[in-house]
């Protein structure tokens, strides 16, 4: 079973908006159009992967990124992340 992103992710609170609008997280999101590991993101951004785990975890907690698949790398399981939606926009509750 493969992951299929939603058409739209509705931002319903200020905390999710703050997570989504951080410049580093915007760049991470742009790189996650297809399943991508933290290592691949770090390589494309030219930063150590350890610098990104905090951001990726926050984005996953808020539903901005989803685990699209996992794969075995020796004894480790590697997670591949993908944007949870094709578009992100404020919801009515957030705009109120």
């Amino acid at each position: 079973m493969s992951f299929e992103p939603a058409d739209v992710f509705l931002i319903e609170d200020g905390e999710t908006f703050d997570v989504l609008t951080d410049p580093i997280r915007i760049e991470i999101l742009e790189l996650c159009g297809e399943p991508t590991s933290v290592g691949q993101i770090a390589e494309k951004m030219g930063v150590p992967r350890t610098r990104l785990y905090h951001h990726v975890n926050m984005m996953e907690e808020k539903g901005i990124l989803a685990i699209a698949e996992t794969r075995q790398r020796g004894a480790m399981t590697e997670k591949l992340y993908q944007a949870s939606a094709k578009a992100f926009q404020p919801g009515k509750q957030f705009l109120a």
Side-chain angles (χ1 to χ4, degrees):
M1 182 176 157
S2 65
F3 174 77
E4 186 64 37
D7 288 332
V8 177
F9 178 97
L10 295 177
I11 303 162
E12 297 292 1
D13 60 77
E15 191 175 315
T16 301
F17 180 79
D18 290 344
V19 170
L20 188 57
T21 57
D22 178 276
I24 291 172
R25 295 182 200 126
I26 290 171
E27 188 172 356
I28 292 168
L29 186 60
E30 289 173 347
L31 294 170
C32 288
E34 296 189 6
T36 309
S37 70
V38 174
Q40 291 168 320
I41 296 167
E43 186 176 313
K44 290 176 183 174
M45 291 177 70
V47 298
R49 76 177 67 195
T50 54
R51 184 173 170 214
L52 300 179
Y53 283 112
H54 169 74
H55 297 288
V56 169
N57 288 335
M58 287 182 75
M59 295 171 77
E60 182 184 358
E61 286 174 18
K62 289 297 179 183
I64 297 164
L65 290 181
I67 297 172
E69 60 185 88
T70 58
R71 61 185 177 200
Q72 282 302 124
R73 291 276 188 184
M76 293 179 44
T77 301
E78 182 177 49
K79 297 177 184 176
L80 301 179
Y81 295 92
Q82 188 171 352
S84 63
K86 298 172 188 171
F88 295 80
Q89 66 185 44
K92 291 178 183 177
Q93 182 178 349
F94 180 67
L95 294 173

